[in-house]
Amino acid sequence: MNDFCELMPEDLASLMEDQGGKSFQAKQLLDWVYKKGTLDWDKMTNLSKELRQKLSQKLTLRVLELVRIQPSDDGETYKFLWKMRDGSLVESVLICSGTRRTVCVSSQVGCPVKCAFCASGKKGFFRNLRPAEIVEQVLHINRWLAEKEERVSHIVYMGMGEPFKNYDPVMKSIRLISNPEVFDISQRRITVSTVGIVEGIKRFTEEDLKVSLVLSLHAPNQHIRQKIIPYARKYPLEDILKAMDEFARKTKRDVTYEYILIAGINDHPDHAFELAHMLKGRQCTVNLIPYNPVAGLRLNRPDRKNVKEFRSVLFGCKVVNTCRYTKGDDIAAACGQLALQEQTISPKLPIVA
């Protein structure tokens, strides 16, 4: 059996012909699944019953089961918890801002990076997600939004896992999501975030994609970075920044450096001056994110005064920066928190088809 959401349109057309159908019927099937959100063979009435029966024996339309949806109090953030065939749990987050509907997808079960501030790696790394398991996160959230006459507009690979440690499946999922016959989401509305896998950044630079790249920086020097990101020991900051510079030069795209501000660790004005010196002359934006507390981790969010002082230093050094106070604190919206909770509590909401 093939997973439907793992097939490129041209692969589906070949399969359709192998089953006695016509290549144009592949587009009809793509419309049923991706445009209409239909996952029931019996409802695909413009395909013959015989063809549907043959296809149902060759294609699996669903690999994710929705365990629960947890909305934030303000109704702007929704966390989706999925169960896969092997029982693994993975998360996605829907962030609503104005007319934008952004889905934050996961690329791995757990995470090998084990950042000190993140819940995703607390239980370790289990496995990579297949392309279908990534694409279906978008598919099912898009189906859910369709009931409100809305649709997914942006995709960020910032959920559980390090995308560049699952490189090929992530690239295939990007090409599927952006395909005009699938979701037709512009590649310019897709962002990949990496902790700094140098070989991954270099490969990504050579891809024929218009996708944005974000580096999870989080420190103004290698010493502090290694303390909060143990994986950073494998990749000197100098090498990472050089790879990011080459990406920006070759793709002509600005890059973003994400910097989670953690009280007493990387939020002092001196850290801001050091960060500004490191980024001097680089065409980039620093996205500051006050830390979103995770249960069981002894880390704190800086107060607004400290954040304001940090930003003032960057502005004074002419470093473009934004500040994003995290949404969804009340629903444990930071990566991995809901999956960790699910291991110890039963679902509060029923499974939704």
Side-chain angles (χ1 to χ4, degrees):
M1 295 281 282
N2 292 304
D3 292 326
F4 179 85
C5 289
E6 205 143 312
L7 295 179
M8 296 298 293
E10 56 270 25
D11 298 326
L12 184 61
S14 296
L15 177 63
M16 190 72 75
E17 291 178 337
D18 290 343
Q19 299 307 307
K22 304 293 183 183
S23 60
F24 75 86
Q25 291 177 303
K27 187 177 188 311
Q28 294 176 320
L29 184 50
L30 289 164
D31 286 342
W32 278 114
V33 175
Y34 292 120
K35 301 297 193 295
K36 299 175 182 175
T38 300
L39 299 178
D40 184 343
W41 291 108
D42 291 337
K43 293 181 180 179
M44 301 178 187
T45 52
N46 58 352
L47 301 175
S48 70
K49 185 175 181 180
E50 180 184 4
L51 180 58
R52 278 180 276 153
Q53 288 177 336
K54 288 182 179 179
L55 292 173
S56 67
Q57 295 170 4
K58 294 289 183 179
L59 291 173
T60 301
L61 294 178
R62 182 195 293 269
V63 298
L64 298 184
E65 177 184 285
L66 181 58
V67 177
R68 60 171 166 148
I69 305 171
Q70 194 165 340
S72 62
D73 290 339
D74 61 13
E76 293 185 352
T77 307
Y78 298 84
K79 193 141 197 183
F80 294 76
L81 183 65
W82 314 101
K83 181 183 288 186
M84 291 171 286
R85 289 171 185 156
D86 62 359
S88 299
L89 297 172
V90 74
E91 303 169 8
S92 313
V93 178
L94 170 65
I95 302 167
C96 304
S97 180
T99 59
R100 179 179 294 201
R101 298 294 177 265
T102 302
V103 174
C104 178
V105 298
S106 294
S107 57
Q108 296 179 309
V109 182
C111 184
V113 177
K114 298 183 180 179
C115 297
F117 50 80
C118 182
S120 291
K122 284 188 72 176
K123 291 291 185 179
F125 167 71
F126 296 95
R127 69 172 177 86
N128 289 324
L129 295 188
R130 302 193 315 278
E133 293 169 327
I134 299 173
V135 173
E136 276 201 28
Q137 294 174 56
V138 181
L139 171 62
H140 296 310
I141 294 176
N142 207 44
R143 293 173 68 221
W144 185 78
L145 281 172
E147 297 178 4
K148 304 179 180 184
E149 298 184 347
E150 299 174 352
R151 70 186 298 268
V152 174
S153 63
H154 293 71
I155 306 293
V156 292
Y157 286 75
M158 296 182 183
M160 295 171 64
E162 162 55 55
F164 285 165
K165 296 303 289 184
N166 186 24
Y167 191 89
D168 290 332
V170 165
M171 292 303 114
K172 185 171 185 180
S173 69
I174 289 172
R175 288 189 163 88
L176 276 162
I177 289 168
S178 60
N179 190 288
E181 295 186 79
V182 183
F183 296 112
D184 195 20
I185 294 175
S186 169
Q187 290 182 3
R188 296 182 185 277
R189 294 186 172 190
I190 300 175
T191 299
V192 174
S193 175
T194 178
V195 76
I197 310 301
V198 173
E199 63 272 20
I201 297 171
K202 290 180 176 179
R203 284 185 69 184
F204 194 61
T205 300
E206 300 302 319
E207 298 282 353
D208 185 22
L209 296 170
K210 296 179 175 64
V211 175
S212 298
L213 181 61
V214 171
L215 175 68
S216 295
L217 182 58
H218 309 320
N221 58 55
Q222 181 73 6
H223 176 68
I224 294 177
R225 199 164 194 266
Q226 287 181 186
K227 283 188 172 182
I228 60 179
I229 308 174
Y231 213 74
R233 296 185 182 95
K234 296 183 63 175
Y235 300 99
L237 192 49
E238 182 181 352
D239 293 346
I240 296 172
L241 293 175
K242 193 178 297 183
M244 294 293 289
D245 288 344
E246 179 60 15
F247 172 86
R249 185 195 68 79
K250 186 157 187 177
T251 64
K252 304 293 191 292
R253 297 185 66 77
D254 291 352
V255 296
T256 298
Y257 294 98
E258 286 206 329
Y259 193 104
I260 292 180
L261 289 161
I262 307 171
I265 294 178
N266 64 357
D267 67 332
H268 193 274
D270 288 346
H271 296 139
F273 278 112
E274 192 173 2
L275 177 63
H277 177 73
M278 182 173 67
L279 298 180
K280 185 178 181 180
R282 288 184 160 93
Q283 189 70 27
C284 65
T285 298
V286 176
N287 185 16
L288 299 170
I289 308 170
Y291 176 64
N292 188 9
V294 174
L297 300 183
R298 296 180 180 178
L299 299 173
N300 298 303
R301 176 183 295 186
D303 59 37
R304 289 182 180 268
K305 178 175 177 290
N306 285 20
V307 175
K308 186 176 181 180
E309 288 178 351
F310 198 97
R311 294 196 73 192
S312 294
V313 171
L314 294 184
F315 281 129
C317 295
K318 295 182 170 49
V319 175
V320 178
N321 69 91
T322 60
C323 186
R324 187 182 83 221
Y325 275 87
T326 52
K327 292 187 176 185
D329 292 13
D330 56 306
I331 60 167
C335 303
Q337 293 191 67
L338 194 58
L340 283 172
Q341 290 178 4
E342 186 66 20
Q343 294 171 5
T344 56
I345 61 174
S346 58
K348 294 180 181 177
L349 297 178
I351 292 174
V352 181

